[in-house]
Each structure stands twice: as structure tokens, then as C-alpha cells.
Amino acid sequence: VSRRQRQMCIRDSWNILFLILGSILVFGLALNTFGLMLSLAAMILIAGLASPDFRFKETLAIILVMDLLAWLIFVYGVGMLVPVWPVFM
């Protein structure tokens, strides 16, 4: 493995790390203002960008399934008082 290939691999690894951590940060900061549904969607979309095989349609399907599961588990099942939709809606 050449030095250039190692440098590119390290750079790509940092980009992936920052996208994943950034998606978690966005979720945490946006939850109270944008609600569970949009915050979770943003987190999944940003984290999905870390994959070299990113496909928008597949990511959209994952967002829909995860939003439904999050609502069923946390809001309906556990009864958490978390905003589901944005404050401005």
C-alpha cells in the first residue's frame, strides 16, 4: 500500500467519523425544536452520507421505518413526553 493510498484512507476515515458524530449532534440539538420525526430523519440522512454506497431511495425507506418504530416504541409504548413534530407546526 502506497503512502498516498494510506493518506486517502485516513482522510476518508475522518470524514466518516465526523459525519456519524455530526448526525448524532444534529439529532440532539434539533430534537426539541424540530421534533422526533424530523430530527431522526436528519440524523439518518447525515449518517447515510458516510456510506460510499449511499442511495437516497433506500435511505428514505429507512427513515420512514425508523420514524414509525421510534414513535411506536417511545411515544406510544413507553409514553415518553418527547415532541413528535416541530414546534412551528
Side-chain angles (χ1 to χ4, degrees), residues 2-63:
S2 72
R3 179 183 170 129
R4 179 166 165 75
Q5 288 174 330
R6 264 187 277 131
Q7 287 175 341
M8 289 182 66
C9 183
I10 291 171
R11 189 190 74 223
D12 289 344
S13 297
W14 282 108
N15 289 341
I16 291 169
L17 177 68
F18 287 131
L19 282 170
I20 299 295
L21 292 177
S23 71
I24 296 168
L25 181 66
V26 165
F27 176 79
L29 294 174
L31 184 60
N32 286 332
T33 305
F34 293 103
L36 180 65
M37 298 297 146
L38 293 180
S39 299
L40 188 60
M43 182 181 75
I44 294 169
L45 184 63
I46 294 168
L49 292 173
S51 171
D53 300 327
F54 176 77
R55 292 185 183 95
F56 184 74
K57 288 182 183 179
E58 290 177 3
T59 305
L60 186 60
I62 292 170
I63 288 171

Side-chain angles (χ1 to χ4, degrees), residues 31-32 35-36 70-71 73-85:
L31 184 60
N32 286 332
L36 180 65
W71 182 82
I73 292 169
F74 296 112
V75 178
Y76 182 73
V78 180
M80 287 181 70
L81 298 175
V82 61
V84 177
W85 296 107

